[in-house]
Amino acid sequence: MRRLEGKKALVTGGSRGIGEAIVIRLAEEGASVAINYTSERSEELARQVQLKVEALGGKACVVRADVGNKQQVVEMFQQVEAEIGEIDILVNNAGIAPFEPFLEVSEETWDRTYDTNVKSIFLCSQLAAPRMIAKGYGKIINVLSTASLVVTSPLIPHYQSSKAAAHMLTKGMAIELGKYGINVNAVGPSTVDTDMCTDYLADPDIYRKEVEANPMKRLGTSRQIGDAVVFLASEEAMQINGHLLMVDGGLSVKAAQPEDHIH
Ligand code: NAP
């Protein structure tokens, strides 16, 4: 028996990277999945992910929406419910990390980062929760970061503070929604080689330092994040609530060493 047979899930930012891996892992465990994306150029990528789910024998739909925009989120939920039904699992994965040092970061970058990384969790979860409350069951899983806990780079204070805010939002929602049978948890990746980090990891020196800084002496993978999401979405995690499951090789529990200073 697959662990999520018959469940319905929405993964924001599911067109590529970590989100794609989460979609595939949920589908492998039997869930129907709605794949959200926002940019026009990602429509084809999202369709490819849908085809991969269908090749696994699963059901999927694609839905375009900027998850930081309330009207678009409302319309996304309407489309998802029409295509796969009311969701049991919401994975708030969409995120951006524009690399700009604190002294240069623009107001536009700040707002876009917070809209995508924090407001999106508020908007999507506030719409998903009443449906979950009616069923007395639901799983909300937020994709956070090592940056939710420690400073990982001097170039993204807006990103780090947004991920820390999303961590506290996870805890607050867990307390408020737990009594309705909704588990709210999070996963915390360290650096994963996705489009988000392509330019950054293209420098072989930075790549080597990233690997060296990690206690496991390797980078994590998108699929490992998907595995952690499946666990938190499963019955095995019914009593886990308000937890941030780090999938970072232990990076966030390690005091920074001089050789860890990457930039
Ligand atoms: P990615 O490869 O850049 O993919 C980002 C995804 O989010 C894409 O599907 C993108 O859609 C979507 N997205 C961005 N803005 C959106 C918006 N406003 N509305 C809807 N969708 C939006 O990133 P990733 O590396 O997979 O990261 C996924 C999550 O993991 C993020 O929350 C990120 O902060 C977190 N994380 C990543 C790393 C890492 O090293 N990669 C480490 C720690 C945490 P489009 O394709 O349409 O642009």
Side-chain angles (χ1 to χ4, degrees), residues 13 15-16 18 38-39 42 66-67 93 144 159 163 190 192 194:
S15 57
R16 53 198 170 93
I18 291 170
T38 190
S39 63
S42 274
D66 174 353
V67 288
N93 164 76
L144 304 184
Y159 176 78
K163 289 294 183 180
S190 51
V192 176
T194 65

Side-chain angles (χ1 to χ4, degrees), residues 52-259:
K52 288 180 192 172
V53 171
E54 287 167 359
L56 290 166
K59 183 172 178 186
C61 66
V62 302
V63 53
R64 184 176 180 188
D66 174 353
V67 288
N69 177 305
K70 183 168 182 176
Q71 186 55 35
Q72 292 187 31
V73 169
V74 169
E75 288 167 9
M76 172 173 73
F77 271 77
Q78 288 167 347
Q79 187 188 331
V80 170
E81 286 176 7
E83 296 205 32
I84 66 167
E86 277 186 3
I87 60 167
D88 309 285
I89 302 162
L90 169 65
V91 184
N92 290 305
N93 164 76
I96 56 169
F99 273 57
E100 287 175 32
F102 178 73
L103 291 176
E104 292 167 26
V105 69
S106 65
E107 186 178 358
E108 189 275 329
T109 296
W110 179 277
D111 287 344
R112 195 160 47 87
T113 303
Y114 269 71
D115 284 355
T116 310
N117 297 358
V118 190
K119 189 178 172 190
S120 63
I121 297 177
F122 156 63
L123 291 175
C124 293
S125 304
Q126 201 185 44
L127 273 181
R131 282 113 161 138
M132 293 174 174
I133 290 170
K135 287 188 280 198
Y137 178 93
K139 306 277 191 178
I140 298 176
I141 299 156
N142 301 327
V143 180
L144 304 184
S145 171
T146 318
S148 297
L149 300 177
V150 293
V151 172
T152 51
S153 161
L155 288 184
I156 43 173
H158 46 294
Y159 176 78
Q160 287 159 346
S161 61
S162 75
K163 289 294 183 180
H167 185 198
M168 193 51 83
L169 183 56
T170 303
K171 295 192 216 181
M173 288 185 343
I175 302 299
E176 198 160 335
L177 299 178
K179 59 181 167 289
Y180 302 112
I182 303 173
N183 301 68
V184 185
N185 289 295
V187 293
S190 51
T191 302
V192 176
D193 194 355
T194 65
D195 293 349
M196 183 177 273
C197 298
T198 303
D199 294 344
Y200 169 69
L201 292 174
D203 181 333
D205 197 40
I206 286 185
Y207 193 98
R208 184 184 54 74
K209 284 182 174 172
E210 278 280 347
V211 170
E212 274 307 306
N214 193 291
M216 299 301 294
K217 304 299 174 198
R218 59 180 179 237
L219 299 186
T221 67
S222 294
R223 191 169 171 90
Q224 289 163 348
I225 311 307
D227 290 337
V229 168
V230 163
F231 168 65
L232 290 173
S234 74
E235 304 303 304
E236 292 153 14
M238 285 301 273
Q239 199 60 7
I240 299 177
N241 193 29
H243 187 69
L244 167 54
L245 176 54
M246 296 308 296
V247 189
D248 69 347
L251 185 63
S252 58
V253 297
K254 176 190 158 197
Q257 307 297 311
E259 64 272 20

Side-chain angles (χ1 to χ4, degrees), residues 3-9 30-33 88-89 137 233 235:
R3 285 190 278 177
L4 303 174
E5 203 70 64
K7 299 285 190 255
K8 298 174 179 95
S32 302
V33 193
D88 309 285
I89 302 162
Y137 178 93
E235 304 303 304

